[in-house]
Amino acid sequence: MEFLSFLLSLFTHFLLLNLSLSSSISAQQITNHDDFLRCLSRRINDKTDESRIIHTIKDSSFYSILNSSIQNPRLSVLETPKPLSVITPVQATNVQSTVKCARLHNIHLRTRSGGHDYEGFSYIAKSRPFVVVDMRNLRSISLDVDNRTGWVQTGATLGELYYEIGKLSKSLAFPAGLYATVGVGGQFGGGGYGTLMRKYGLSADNVIDAQIIDASGRFLDRQGMGEDFFWAIRGGGGSSFCIVLSWKIRLLDVPSIVTVFSVAKTSENEAVSVINKWQYIADKVPNDLFIRATLERSNETAVNALFPGLYLGPVSYLLALMEDKFPELGLEIGDCIEMSWFESVLWFVKLESVDDLAKRKRTSRSFKGKDDFIQEPIPKTAIRELWRRLYAPEARLAKIILTPFGGKMSEIADYETPFPHRDGNLYEIQYLAYWKEEEDMNKTDTEKYFRWVKSLYEYMTPYVSKSPRGAYVNFRDNDLGSYNDLGMNIMKTKYEKGKIWGVKYFKNNFDRLVSVKTNVDPMEFFCDEQSIPILKSVDDI
């Protein structure tokens, strides 16, 4: 039996050595990981809980748990580095124990909420062995309708949050994203766009408290962490500073009846003309109105422009407003549907059932995205070029999304949260190429999609924000640079490297984030390829 156990141990170690294909794992690192697991196991009193919390390569469930919430299949291919283990805490003390044991045994952690990270930094580390802390079990939601507040654990999805709001009220809402499977941990930590952003700002603007585990393993709330720390995690990317356990949010008033609408333009000339007009009015219409514009293929041979929107009021008011402010869209009553705000959440993402909001589904499409901020209307020639580029074969599933700013987004100062892209921005534009998961098997097939996105991004250079060219941290883009980028000047300090992309995400707020990081995590326990560095940081992640 001892010999069999010895063989099993050797086999397991062999598998561990092959989990991270981009870096070699030393015997010492494997020993550290074994010690980490023993340390964590000793701190978990209930052995039933232990089987729910600790998942290693020896467990049959390891890969299903690892892959279950990877929302970009290109990041789950064989050559992608895999963690040594996945930890799925069931209570706050499990997170504390994980942090303390990881520090003690020199284990690198990545924290995952919903798995929508554009570049997979929440569950991939290319420079060294790592462990994923998956927050899926910490997903409770407790809402206080009378006080218009709620506590949402970081492993909950937006769909689960909307579902709970909808059960209790038809006249309360929360400003967050459209996609039901996005985890609140990542979205709130980086900002959080949504159809209510012109009325109420970002998700992060409406977070009023948080509970975290810091780099020392301490449990802290807003009072305990202090205002600078609390400021940093609401838009600066919480994973750079701590593990957020839960967020206290402000629930917001909406009318019991709202109106959703969608208009399509199928001819190039009309679409270009309407988008051009949209640029001049979408950020200036009343805050109750949100009109997004998208360009995408309608079929194999045609492109169209879509204008989906939400108005916080009845259809009669909307039609009068559009006739006054945006008659070029040609909105008619047949394009509109009155419903509750909660029902509008379903409508925007084309879900048929309320129950679908609470389902954790995994996408079958891979993607690559980049984004920009537009501060002056782009010329019609540029709009026409965007339209025509969607006819490329590699753009058959692509989208170009224009999200309007203005309203509350312009009223909040750029320093109030780390998200700095406020007044002066007309809209944010995102370029997205999608492809079928099976194409990931052939790197040559996928490279053409990357080239399409990068070419479009380069074309847009004259028309977008400058000095710096801005980017949204929740749409992370590895092309902006990373600490692993071998092409960078190796003589730069980590702070100097981090500033290259950090000022694009955070502009003048970057140095304040660095200051907070230096104070709360001076040993850089929490870090990834684009994390906030400390002021004098070692060149190592």
Side-chain angles (χ1 to χ4, degrees):
M1 290 295 292
E2 290 183 3
F3 181 68
L4 288 176
S5 296
F6 174 71
L7 288 179
L8 178 60
S9 177
L10 283 179
F11 178 65
T12 302
H13 284 193
F14 173 78
L15 290 175
L16 289 173
L17 285 167
N18 285 276
L19 281 175
S20 180
L21 300 180
S22 66
S23 63
S24 60
I25 303 177
S26 69
Q28 183 59 56
Q29 289 166 331
I30 293 176
T31 298
N32 288 352
H33 180 253
D34 290 343
D35 291 341
F36 160 75
L37 293 180
R38 281 191 288 269
C39 174
L40 183 56
S41 177
R42 286 194 299 269
R43 292 168 178 262
I44 301 171
N45 296 324
D46 190 326
K47 292 305 174 184
T48 302
D49 278 352
E50 182 175 337
S51 65
R52 295 174 58 198
I53 296 168
I54 300 175
H55 312 276
T56 71
I57 188 63
K58 293 182 288 185
D59 303 325
S60 59
S61 60
F62 176 80
Y63 280 106
S64 63
I65 290 173
L66 175 62
N67 293 328
S68 61
S69 64
I70 293 179
Q71 300 293 343
N72 194 348
R74 72 177 173 88
L75 300 172
S76 62
V77 295
L78 181 62
E79 60 266 28
T80 302
K82 306 298 187 293
L84 300 177
S85 58
V86 178
I87 309 301
T88 53
V90 298
Q91 55 188 349
T93 55
N94 301 148
V95 182
Q96 286 182 288
S97 297
T98 301
V99 170
K100 289 177 179 179
C101 290
R103 284 195 65 129
L104 181 63
H105 297 290
N106 194 29
I107 295 296
H108 180 54
L109 299 182
R110 296 293 171 99
T111 308
R112 179 168 73 176
S113 176
H116 277 266
D117 190 314
Y118 273 34
E119 300 288 2
F121 296 163
S122 64
Y123 52 88
I124 295 172
K126 295 184 178 180
S127 63
R128 58 176 166 171
F130 66 106
V131 168
V132 168
V133 183
D134 191 309
M135 304 295 282
R136 67 177 62 218
N137 293 326
L138 294 175
R139 59 202 288 183
S140 71
I141 299 168
S142 176
L143 304 178
D144 182 345
V145 173
D146 292 336
N147 291 310
R148 287 171 165 70
T149 61
W151 279 99
V152 186
Q153 286 192 313
T154 202
T157 64
L158 298 181
E160 290 168 337
L161 173 58
Y162 296 150
Y163 180 83
E164 294 300 322
I165 294 174
K167 284 197 307 184
L168 297 177
S169 174
K170 299 294 185 185
S171 58
L172 289 176
F174 186 74
L178 295 178
Y179 295 100
T181 56
V182 172
V184 304
Q187 172 145 115
F188 295 4
Y193 285 1
T195 58
L196 295 176
M197 60 191 287
R198 301 193 66 254
K199 179 70 173 180
Y200 289 121
L202 304 176
S203 303
D205 298 329
N206 294 282
V207 169
I208 55 179
D209 203 344
Q211 295 173 335
I212 70 163
I213 303 299
D214 74 356
S216 298
R218 295 180 300 170
F219 176 94
L220 301 171
D221 60 8
R222 178 174 182 172
Q223 183 177 5
M225 74 179 86
E227 289 304 303
D228 281 349
F229 200 159
F230 182 62
W231 173 85
I233 64 173
R234 292 176 301 125
S239 61
S240 279
F241 304 93
C242 61
I243 295 179
V244 179
L245 298 173
S246 58
W247 309 84
K248 187 176 184 181
I249 61 173
R250 180 188 299 114
L251 299 177
L252 301 160
D253 294 318
V254 290
S256 57
I257 296 296
V258 305
T259 305
V260 297
F261 60 92
S262 184
V263 176
K265 301 298 180 183
T266 56
S267 77
E268 179 179 337
N269 286 336
E270 186 179 20
V272 170
S273 178
V274 175
I275 289 176
N276 182 60
K277 178 64 177 180
W278 176 92
Q279 293 186 103
Y280 289 87
I281 63 96
D283 70 308
K284 299 177 181 66
V285 295
N287 299 4
D288 289 337
L289 179 58
F290 174 90
I291 313 171
R292 178 175 264 173
T294 68
L295 288 167
E296 58 188 83
R297 289 268 275 275
S298 56
N299 56 48
E300 288 296 318
T301 60
V303 173
N304 63 17
L306 297 174
F307 298 86
L310 171 71
Y311 176 66
L312 299 177
V315 65
S316 57
Y317 288 16
L318 170 64
L319 291 173
L321 175 61
M322 293 293 279
E323 181 61 31
D324 178 44
K325 301 294 185 181
F326 195 12
E328 294 84 356
L329 184 62
L331 183 69
E332 299 178 351
I333 194 167
D335 303 317
C336 307
I337 309 173
E338 290 185 336
M339 57 180 62
S340 69
W341 172 83
F342 172 66
E343 291 169 327
S344 78
V345 172
L346 298 173
W347 181 87
F348 268 100
V349 290
K350 299 179 174 59
L351 293 178
E352 296 181 0
S353 167
V354 169
D355 292 335
D356 288 339
L357 281 175
K359 293 179 180 177
R360 296 191 167 214
K361 298 179 180 178
R362 183 174 180 267
T363 182
S364 61
R365 288 184 179 178
S366 296
F367 68 90
K368 170 62 182 177
K370 300 176 79 68
D371 77 306
D372 274 310
F373 291 93
I374 306 297
Q375 298 175 335
E376 295 180 3
I378 67 175
K380 282 187 176 182
T381 53
I383 301 171
R384 197 174 298 277
E385 181 65 17
L386 295 179
W387 174 280
R388 291 178 176 175
R389 287 190 180 227
L390 284 163
Y391 282 103
E394 57 271 29
R396 68 187 188 279
L397 299 175
K399 287 185 179 183
I400 300 172
I401 304 172
L402 288 67
T403 299
F405 278 36
K408 189 69 173 180
M409 292 294 290
S410 294
E411 297 168 13
I412 298 173
D414 58 9
Y415 56 80
E416 287 191 35
T417 70
F419 181 93
H421 311 288
R422 305 284 189 171
D423 192 27
N425 291 289
L426 304 181
Y427 60 95
E428 185 258 357
I429 184 169
Q430 191 174 182
Y431 327 103
L432 289 159
Y434 293 91
W435 59 92
K436 295 178 180 178
E437 184 175 1
E438 53 266 29
E439 293 183 79
D440 289 313
M441 300 296 291
N442 189 329
K443 190 174 182 180
T444 302
D445 288 341
T446 60
E447 284 178 348
K448 62 186 178 185
Y449 301 110
F450 281 75
R451 287 195 298 270
W452 182 84
V453 173
K454 290 178 180 179
S455 174
L456 192 54
Y457 183 78
E458 290 172 3
Y459 171 78
M460 288 295 291
T461 301
Y463 311 116
V464 302
S465 61
K466 299 174 179 63
S467 301
R469 183 175 186 170
Y472 176 31
V473 70
N474 272 1
F475 298 155
R476 292 221 252 193
D477 183 3
N478 207 32
D479 298 337
L480 301 181
S482 78
Y483 300 117
N484 289 333
D485 189 345
L486 298 178
M488 282 189 174
N489 183 347
I490 61 173
M491 298 304 292
K492 288 182 180 291
T493 66
K494 190 173 178 183
Y495 166 79
E496 290 170 330
K497 291 180 181 180
K499 193 167 187 175
I500 293 171
W501 57 87
V503 295
K504 296 181 180 184
Y505 291 141
F506 306 114
K507 298 174 67 174
N508 292 334
N509 292 329
F510 175 72
D511 280 334
R512 183 178 174 189
L513 288 168
V514 170
S515 177
V516 175
K517 173 72 171 179
T518 304
N519 288 331
V520 304
D521 185 15
M523 300 303 293
E524 294 190 278
F525 178 74
F526 295 110
C527 57
D528 61 41
E529 285 76 6
Q530 287 188 344
S531 59
I532 302 297
I534 64 172
L535 189 56
K536 294 181 180 179
S537 53
V538 294
D539 192 11
D540 173 41
I541 63 164

